Amino acid sequence: MNDLQSVALGDEDADLVVTGGRVCLPEMGEFQSRDVVVVDDRVAALPEDATPVVGDDTRVVTASNRVVAPGFVDAHTHLDLHQTFENAYHYAVEGGTTTVVSEVTGYGPAFGAEGVEQFLAATSYLPVRVRAVVPPQPLLDTFEPRRADDEDADALADLLADDRVVGVGEIDWIHAVGRDTPAELLYERADAEGKTVSGHAAGCSGEKFAAFATIIDDDHEAISGEDVVTRVENGVHAIGRYGSIRDDMAAIGDAYDEVPTAELSLSSDGMWPRELIDEGYMDAVVRRAIEEGVEPADAIRMATLNPARHFGLDDEGVGSLSPGSVADIVLIDDLDEVNVTTVVSGGEVVYNKGECMVAPRSHEYPDRFYDSVNVSADPEQFRVPADAASGGDDGASGEVRAIECQRGLLSGETMVSPPVEGDELVADPDADLLKATLLDRHPKGDVPERRSDGSSASADSGREDGFTGFLTGFGLDSGAVATSVVWETPGVLAVGANDADMRTAVGHVAETGGGWAVVEDGDVVAELPTRVAGVCADLEVEETAKLYDAVESALRRLGADGDRPMLTLQTLAFAGVPSLKLSFSGYADILNRRVVGLTP
Ligand SMILES: Nc1ncnc2[nH]cnc12
């Protein structure tokens, strides 16, 4: 007979007992007055009175009518961006998050399978259970030649056999609907392993959504109640979102009475350092769901049992407090606030009344992870020849295509007439016209030969090395900014009012091994180093948040006037939202699935 049974039957003493709480039973969608009896790292029983198994060595946690819930599960996020999780996980713990399902869209596109392996190695021994999904990005070929060779693709597919890998990560619908899916190899393996496929269906509706639903199992891009219903009707698990990118919790509130609760999960989709400190993590997400009218027991279920079942983590005992489950337990004082007072992870008390028993950790990545920004600040890369414009008269340029920054991640296409200086087209900040450059940063060091005209293409792959276009609506009056934190793309992005500052910013980001740099009149005036794979700071969270704020303030001071300038920048090459973005070889015309140049 196992130890759990001996204690459940009252023959042995428990290691830990949580007494006197209102225990959330997510299977029932209700709270019951129970004690929680723990042996080692498992729940052994949920009796009404655990006194008979409390011995001299039993640790007793008194819940005093507080809510006792399973540890929270984030159903979708990006832990390998902005800040290494090993430096940040204690904030997750303090808010009751004990399991996270994460994309690997920072390390993965740069280092392929090795990126995922390093991510798992860095997060394996934390008191937060981290599970990964395999990034499909290296297999995508819509706007660039595929980055992964056959060996790389096989290595990514092989990861699906790993118990810590629960599925294939999000694919933007534009890469998959109405065409052969470039990530098919991963989907076949996910199918064979009984694992999930995530979608990114922003703006995908009607028959296109139904077509996408033939591929994907979950999506977190519903922004209205109707979107949530559409997902569930099409058999797609709907993951609600509240985090640093967006607050879509009203959609969950609106759909709550229309769809079975079992079909809904909750996620952050990224809680960046500032919000992690100021707002919390899944505790904040559950709070928002309750604010939107979701019954507390259901909100907890959406952040525990539902994601656990969807990703097969219930087999590991995640998401429940039923006998045999993992002893990940959260005590909550007040369900309006969702203020977590005590957290047990794997049977150990890791947080109690303001005291966190765990501290940031470090992970030594391979040297190449600290040397993954191989770009040059060659002036040619930022130069746009005057004859790139069409239809200009003497002295005045003709028109060229430009990206128009809109709200948040959205951008559109516009035509602009940049001034001519010598034989070049230049930025015109007074007319709200900036240059925008995306450079391949060759994370693995495979830097191509430069051509005599200054351009270059990666050997064999045919992939162009970089592109400079124009941008409106960002608002810089002077200076420039560069960053290697570019969603899903191993590149360095620069936006600026003049080439010299753009070059300085790019050079600085390269020198620091990745990060953000804001430059004014040749000086770096704000920076945030993200030297792990070019995308993550390995600093204390508080320090990362402070530097992030400083970069944003510097951008504002230089005139950036959009609602989220740093979000706009890091998504300028992201194909998940329309309509005109940057690629390494031109503008990516997202909805038409083609790369277009400066002129129509
Ligand atoms: N929320 C997110 N953060 C980073 N990369 C992403 N790619 C798609 N969604 C993302």
Side-chain angles (χ1 to χ4, degrees):
M1 187 167 63
N2 65 36
D3 291 351
L4 293 183
Q5 281 207 50
S6 320
V7 177
L9 292 170
D11 295 336
E12 306 258 358
D13 293 341
D15 293 329
L16 176 100
V17 167
V18 180
T19 63
R22 290 188 295 133
V23 176
C24 180
L25 302 177
E27 291 85 348
M28 301 292 290
E30 65 185 32
F31 301 95
Q32 294 184 8
S33 294
R34 301 287 189 104
D35 291 347
V36 184
V37 171
V38 173
V39 175
D40 193 13
D41 64 347
R42 297 271 151 181
V43 176
L46 295 173
E48 283 170 18
D49 179 7
T51 313
V53 294
V54 174
D56 292 345
D57 296 330
T58 305
R59 175 161 189 181
V60 177
V61 174
T62 310
S64 309
N65 224 23
R66 276 178 279 163
V67 166
V68 178
F72 297 141
V73 181
D74 186 350
H76 176 86
T77 190
H78 298 257
L79 291 183
D80 65 332
L81 207 67
H82 309 296
Q83 165 78 56
T84 59
F85 191 57
E86 57 273 23
N87 269 297
Y89 76 93
H90 53 299
Y91 276 96
V93 164
E94 289 181 13
T97 303
T98 51
T99 300
V100 179
V101 175
S102 181
E103 297 279 332
V104 195
T105 54
Y107 304 168
F111 287 103
E114 191 189 17
V116 180
E117 283 157 4
Q118 281 300 318
F119 172 72
L120 289 169
T123 56
S124 271
Y125 300 99
L126 305 177
V128 178
R129 182 178 299 94
V130 175
R131 297 292 178 260
V133 285
V134 174
Q137 285 78 19
L139 276 68
L140 303 183
D141 59 3
T142 316
F143 302 105
E144 314 281 355
R146 179 173 112 154
R147 210 165 260 271
D149 63 20
D150 288 349
E151 207 180 312
D152 298 335
D154 284 340
L156 282 165
D158 287 347
L159 287 168
L160 283 155
D162 191 312
D163 288 343
R164 296 164 303 172
V165 173
V166 295
V168 183
E170 61 185 302
I171 190 167
D172 305 323
W173 68 273
I174 204 72
H175 300 297
V177 172
R179 56 164 297 193
D180 288 339
T181 315
E184 189 56 34
L185 172 70
L186 301 183
Y187 299 152
E188 282 168 8
R189 289 292 280 280
D191 212 25
E193 298 284 347
K195 296 189 175 176
T196 56
V197 171
S198 295
H200 187 282
C204 179
S205 58
E207 57 191 22
K208 288 198 176 85
F209 189 86
F212 201 24
T214 64
I215 300 170
I216 62 168
D217 299 309
D218 58 71
D219 171 77
H220 54 279
E221 291 293 331
I223 59 172
S224 66
E226 200 184 324
D227 283 353
V228 174
V229 174
T230 300
R231 276 142 183 82
V232 176
E233 281 176 348
N234 282 279
V236 173
H237 193 71
I239 300 179
R241 163 171 59 187
Y242 174 71
S244 298
I245 314 300
R246 287 181 60 100
D247 175 4
D248 294 320
M249 213 47 84
I252 294 293
D254 288 348
Y256 175 51
D257 290 332
E258 313 272 321
V259 297
T261 308
E263 296 309 322
L264 305 174
S265 288
L266 299 181
S267 75
S268 69
D269 198 13
M271 201 59 99
W272 300 354
R274 172 55 61 211
E275 289 80 30
L276 195 58
I277 295 168
D278 290 351
E279 291 201 45
Y281 190 31
M282 287 307 291
D283 45 335
V285 180
V286 172
R287 185 186 314 132
R288 272 295 291 128
I290 294 171
E291 274 168 18
E292 287 298 333
V294 177
E295 285 297 325
D298 284 341
I300 291 172
R301 177 180 166 152
M302 292 177 197
T304 55
L305 187 68
N306 291 356
R309 282 186 173 163
H310 179 70
F311 290 108
L313 297 169
D314 54 336
D315 289 348
E316 296 182 50
V318 172
S320 170
L321 292 177
S322 62
S325 300
V326 287
D328 292 351
I329 306 169
V330 176
L331 272 64
I332 303 165
D333 222 1
D334 166 1
L335 280 173
D336 288 334
E337 295 292 318
V338 190
N339 47 358
V340 170
T341 61
T342 307
V343 180
V344 175
S345 168
E348 298 288 329
V349 177
V350 286
Y351 174 74
N352 194 29
K353 295 182 184 145
E355 191 191 350
C356 193
M357 288 72 169
V358 293
R361 306 218 186 138
S362 62
H363 174 74
E364 203 50 40
Y365 293 86
D367 287 349
R368 56 192 166 279
F369 274 58
Y370 302 101
D371 181 19
S372 70
V373 183
N374 300 297
V375 287
S376 90
D378 185 331
E380 284 302 320
Q381 301 184 115
F382 304 86
R383 218 175 81 83
V384 181
D387 60 10
S390 59
D393 299 327
D394 283 351
S397 100
E399 292 202 313
V400 292
R401 213 179 240 120
I403 295 173
E404 180 184 45
C405 296
Q406 299 165 346
R407 236 173 344 100
L409 294 68
L410 293 172
S411 60
E413 175 175 331
T414 186
M415 296 303 291
V416 294
S417 301
V420 180
E421 251 179 46
D423 60 354
E424 293 182 35
L425 300 183
V426 296
D428 187 2
D430 292 343
D432 184 26
L433 182 59
L434 304 172
K435 273 188 172 173
T437 300
L438 182 70
L439 300 172
D440 193 329
R441 67 177 161 95
H442 307 286
K444 295 180 178 168
D446 52 338
V447 185
E449 293 284 309
R450 207 152 278 287
R451 297 180 186 128
S452 55
D453 66 357
S455 68
S456 55
S458 295
D460 305 332
S461 73
R463 201 169 44 247
E464 290 295 318
D465 209 32
F467 169 73
T468 293
F470 289 88
L471 184 75
T472 70
F474 189 72
L476 282 190
D477 301 324
S478 62
V481 54
T483 183
S484 55
V485 180
V486 184
W487 283 17
E488 304 185 3
T489 306
V492 172
L493 172 100
V495 164
N498 66 77
D499 288 16
D501 284 344
M502 287 172 82
R503 286 169 51 207
T504 305
V506 166
H508 192 78
V509 166
E511 231 171 77
T512 46
W516 293 79
V518 182
V519 171
E520 184 180 17
D521 296 332
D523 294 327
V524 176
V525 292
E527 67 174 308
L528 162 60
T530 57
R531 54 183 210 120
V532 178
V535 289
C536 273
D538 52 355
L539 305 166
E540 303 263 314
V541 185
E542 298 76 9
E543 182 65 10
T544 308
K546 215 170 75 191
L547 295 176
Y548 205 97
D549 292 348
V551 169
E552 171 143 354
S553 302
L555 286 171
R556 294 260 179 238
R557 201 173 46 72
L558 291 181
D561 54 10
D563 55 345
R564 307 276 307 274
M566 292 175 78
L567 180 62
T568 298
L569 290 168
Q570 62 194 274
T571 55
L572 270 179
F574 175 51
V577 282
S579 64
L580 199 69
K581 300 283 178 182
L582 287 171
S583 81
F584 294 121
S585 53
Y587 296 111
D589 172 358
I590 304 298
L591 294 175
N592 292 310
R593 284 201 269 243
R594 56 184 186 150
V595 175
V596 295
L598 283 158
T599 47

